Amino acid sequence: MKFDNPHMSEHSPRMGNAFTRALGSFGLKITGWKLEGRMPDVPKFVIIGAPHTSNWDAISASCAMLATGFKYTFLIKKEWFFWPMGPIFRALGGFPVDRGNGADVVQQVVDIFESADKVCVGFPPEGTRSKVDRYKTGYLRAAYAANVPVFLCAFDGPNKRVILDRLMPLTGNLKEDNRAIKKYVDDTWIGVHPERQK
């Protein structure tokens, strides 16, 4: 698929068509959100959406991804993949993960990255819309194991913007990297509900 889009890089995973892009653009327009920034020019990466303080985050991010034609994979418990939800989740980028019987979720994410030349896997690092002192570390463990970078998609609540921000520096020290990423988000971006942020 070839089309000009200022938010996409040469290596961005792509999906959809003119109809889905128009649908995403319409969704952004009616909700009043807009998209700024550019995806990183790397073929494989973990993307995190933060600060996650509202359901509008997921809605605006989904509209933004549809509008650009960007393809990302998000993890859903395999139990949700029943008909008719399974085909819908798969079409939107959902991937069924097995969290039971000691299943290694990180290895399942590594398998996703090894399955294609261009892959992006999305994580909400807070794991909740409520206030948290620290991010869950699954996104970092997956990035380390797959040897891929972490990219921040930020939510600018006061200005209703989805910002394709930057690749985050990683040292390999999970606690330090997790702390530094949360500090950057808290110091730079304000969510839809700031009282849930820090």
Side-chain angles (χ1 to χ4, degrees), residues 6-194:
H7 305 295
M8 300 280 274
S9 74
E10 176 185 350
H11 292 103
S12 296
R14 300 184 179 198
M15 66 177 289
N17 52 41
F19 172 76
T20 57
R21 293 193 295 276
L23 184 63
S25 296
F26 178 72
L28 288 174
K29 183 176 181 179
I30 64 172
T31 58
W33 283 74
K34 53 186 176 288
L35 175 66
E36 297 182 10
R38 186 176 175 87
M39 287 295 179
D41 197 18
V42 295
K44 299 184 181 186
F45 58 99
V46 162
I47 189 168
I48 58 172
H52 178 40
T53 62
S54 165
N55 282 330
W56 284 109
D57 303 336
I59 294 169
S60 58
S62 295
C63 289
M65 297 305 101
L66 278 175
T68 60
F70 180 76
K71 179 181 180 181
Y72 75 107
T73 299
F74 56 94
L75 310 180
I76 303 180
K77 293 179 182 179
K78 67 175 185 178
E79 289 78 11
W80 280 98
F81 280 76
F82 54 83
W83 193 91
M85 299 308 298
I88 294 173
F89 284 140
R90 287 185 189 278
L92 293 174
F95 182 87
V97 292
D98 182 2
R99 296 178 180 271
N101 299 320
D104 187 344
V105 175
V106 170
Q107 183 56 52
Q108 292 175 65
V109 175
V110 171
D111 291 343
I112 295 172
F113 277 110
E114 292 178 346
S115 69
D117 294 332
K118 297 179 181 181
V119 182
C120 172
V121 179
F123 289 83
E126 292 97 338
T128 175
R129 296 184 307 276
S130 302
K131 182 177 178 180
V132 297
D133 294 327
R134 64 183 65 85
Y135 289 161
K136 292 181 178 293
T137 58
Y139 75 99
L140 275 175
R141 289 186 284 113
Y144 292 163
N147 194 28
V148 299
V150 172
F151 184 77
L152 172 64
C153 174
F155 301 114
D156 176 13
N159 298 301
K160 299 185 78 172
R161 298 184 302 166
V162 178
I163 308 291
L164 303 176
D165 189 358
R166 66 187 59 202
L167 289 170
M168 304 304 298
L170 300 180
T171 67
N173 183 309
L174 188 144
K175 288 185 178 179
E176 288 185 6
D177 287 347
N178 199 40
R179 187 182 305 116
I181 290 172
K182 186 175 190 306
K183 183 178 189 306
Y184 171 79
V185 171
D186 288 343
D187 290 349
T188 310
W189 301 110
I190 299 173
V192 174
H193 296 291

